[in-house]
Amino acid sequence: MSDSAEDPREGPHHPRRRTDLQGHAAAEETLLRQYRSGRMHHAWLFAGPRGIGKATLAYRLARFLLSYPDPRAAGDRTSLYVPAESPVAHRMAARGHADIISLERAYDAKAERLKSEIAVDDVRKASAFFGRTAGEGGWRICVVDAAEDLNTESANALLKILEEPPAHSLFILVSHQAGRLLPTIRSRCLRLDLNPLNDAETNAVLATMGEHKPEELARAVQLSKGSPGRALELLNSDGAKYFDLLRQLMSRSQSIDLAAKISIADGLQGRDMAEDYAIFCELLLTYVADIARRSALAGQGAAFARAHEEIGHSLRLANALNLDRRQTILDALSVLGSAKAA
């Protein structure tokens, strides 16, 4: 678990704090129907691509059960919505509710990074949590986000709890790669597969996360493949900012000067820039492909088509062989500049 105020995940849009949900009405209906039946299964696996709202749904379900601990009281509810101003929502948002625990990679404040795995000591805290009586006499809930971050030892420790679940306990495992989980863990969960959102739903989620330029928002939505989380990464990344600089340079001049190329390549250096580098490369390839398509319609697409093929091959080779990022970017921008000048 991580309670550090410096944890980069602890922003206003953490899934624990979000009370709205887009795109998963059918999944929500399944959960509500199961709960109303009075036979709520003790463990659920929410599976699907990263960033589509699985954790948001997990906390939404937890908030609902803690607000309506008796299924009979939820009989006339048509969704799992609980308003943000409710006492339960307030306490959950502040990590102050005694009957819910989260298992996630801890934040190492000293190293200023997330740890690579969910440690067994964190799962042992969950075991102690379930060994106590519920603080408010209702459900005790554990959200694991993401379940594939469990190492072998912590996964086995969680399995022991799942095998003999206490009464009125609920485990919600969020997974982006469900195939990586122990088969014995998967077999004890009801699996609920969630699908990517459509563009309108993605836009609706992003609209609650700040102001963005329309053209940047449209690009992020298009490239996100139905993942608002991915779209937000694209909007906020330095990789996207360097790409926007490149696009401005391309629109202003017939060629890209060497100083500008070096500035972009140098900016994407560094161990902490791996994700930004990947985003820049993704945007660059999409951009060149778009120019090639538009140029082809005008009968002039050969140079950019060749550039797209050459840059794509170069980036794939660089990733496979772990080649120098700086030189890879410089080479790609030189190929792009040559295509523009042709």
Side-chain angles (χ1 to χ4, degrees):
M1 293 188 303
S2 177
D3 294 320
S4 170
E6 298 180 41
D7 189 330
R9 297 166 297 191
E10 285 300 315
H13 304 301
H14 189 286
R16 192 181 67 254
R17 295 189 170 101
R18 294 190 63 87
T19 57
D20 61 308
L21 182 72
Q22 293 286 334
H24 303 304
E28 189 170 23
E29 192 175 307
T30 296
L31 293 166
L32 190 55
R33 186 169 57 247
Q34 171 88 190
Y35 187 52
R36 280 189 188 133
S37 73
R39 299 186 300 275
M40 189 71 172
H41 192 67
H42 73 280
W44 289 79
L45 173 60
F46 292 180
R50 184 184 300 274
I52 62 170
K54 300 186 301 298
T56 299
L57 178 60
Y59 284 105
R60 186 177 172 93
L61 174 61
R63 193 182 300 114
F64 186 84
L65 265 61
L66 293 174
S67 299
Y68 301 99
D70 185 344
R72 291 170 296 184
D76 60 347
R77 299 285 166 174
T78 58
S79 78
L80 299 174
Y81 173 72
V82 174
E85 59 271 17
S86 76
V88 167
H90 270 300
R91 279 179 284 156
M92 275 187 58
R95 290 190 184 269
H97 201 294
D99 293 332
I100 181 170
I101 189 170
S102 302
L103 297 182
E104 55 193 8
R105 288 185 295 154
Y107 179 69
D108 186 337
K110 193 170 184 179
E112 297 185 342
R113 62 179 177 81
L114 295 174
K115 294 186 177 180
S116 60
E117 300 173 325
I118 297 174
V120 68
D121 285 346
D122 291 327
V123 181
R124 287 174 181 149
K125 291 175 187 175
S127 181
F129 166 80
F130 283 107
R132 299 190 298 266
T133 303
E136 300 186 15
W139 290 85
R140 286 167 294 172
I141 301 173
C142 176
V143 176
V144 185
D145 183 20
E148 56 266 22
D149 292 335
L150 294 160
N151 60 32
T152 302
E153 193 176 4
S154 56
N156 281 313
L158 179 64
L159 178 60
K160 288 181 181 179
I161 312 174
L162 290 174
E163 287 175 335
E164 297 181 12
H168 266 76
S169 64
L170 179 71
F171 298 83
I172 311 172
L173 281 63
V174 173
S175 179
H176 322 306
Q177 298 173 293
R180 290 179 52 191
L181 305 184
L182 289 176
T184 44
I185 285 181
R186 293 200 306 267
S187 69
R188 283 161 176 78
C189 299
L190 281 184
R191 177 165 172 162
L192 191 60
D193 287 294
L194 304 184
N195 298 317
L197 278 58
N198 61 37
D199 286 357
E201 291 162 345
T202 303
N203 264 311
V205 174
L206 295 176
T208 68
M209 297 184 173
E211 296 291 330
H212 305 287
K213 294 179 180 178
E215 64 275 11
E216 293 177 1
L217 184 60
R219 180 188 70 202
V221 169
Q222 180 186 15
L223 295 175
S224 71
K225 298 179 181 178
S227 167
R230 176 61 174 165
L232 200 61
E233 288 177 357
L234 291 167
L235 286 166
N236 295 335
S237 76
D238 285 337
K241 292 181 176 66
Y242 279 113
F243 171 75
D244 287 332
L245 172 61
L246 170 65
R247 192 171 56 173
Q248 291 168 19
L249 293 170
M250 289 284 289
S251 66
R252 292 175 190 164
S253 173
Q254 187 65 21
S255 61
I256 310 170
D257 65 72
L258 181 59
K261 293 177 187 176
I262 292 174
S263 175
I264 292 171
D266 284 348
L268 292 167
Q269 282 282 80
R271 291 172 56 191
D272 59 340
M273 295 297 289
E275 180 65 18
D276 294 289
Y277 167 79
I279 288 172
F280 177 85
C281 293
E282 180 181 0
L283 293 172
L284 175 62
L285 269 180
T286 302
Y287 174 68
V288 178
D290 185 55
I291 296 177
R293 279 192 296 269
R294 287 188 279 110
S295 299
L297 291 174
Q300 304 169 340
F304 280 106
R306 287 194 297 271
H308 181 263
E309 183 177 354
E310 187 174 344
I311 292 172
H313 175 74
S314 173
L315 294 179
R316 288 191 296 273
L317 189 65
N319 286 337
L321 301 179
N322 198 27
L323 300 180
D324 180 64
R325 288 186 210 149
R326 183 178 186 273
Q327 191 58 52
T328 301
I329 293 296
L330 286 173
D331 291 344
L333 295 183
S334 294
V335 170
L336 179 60
S338 298
K340 184 174 175 62

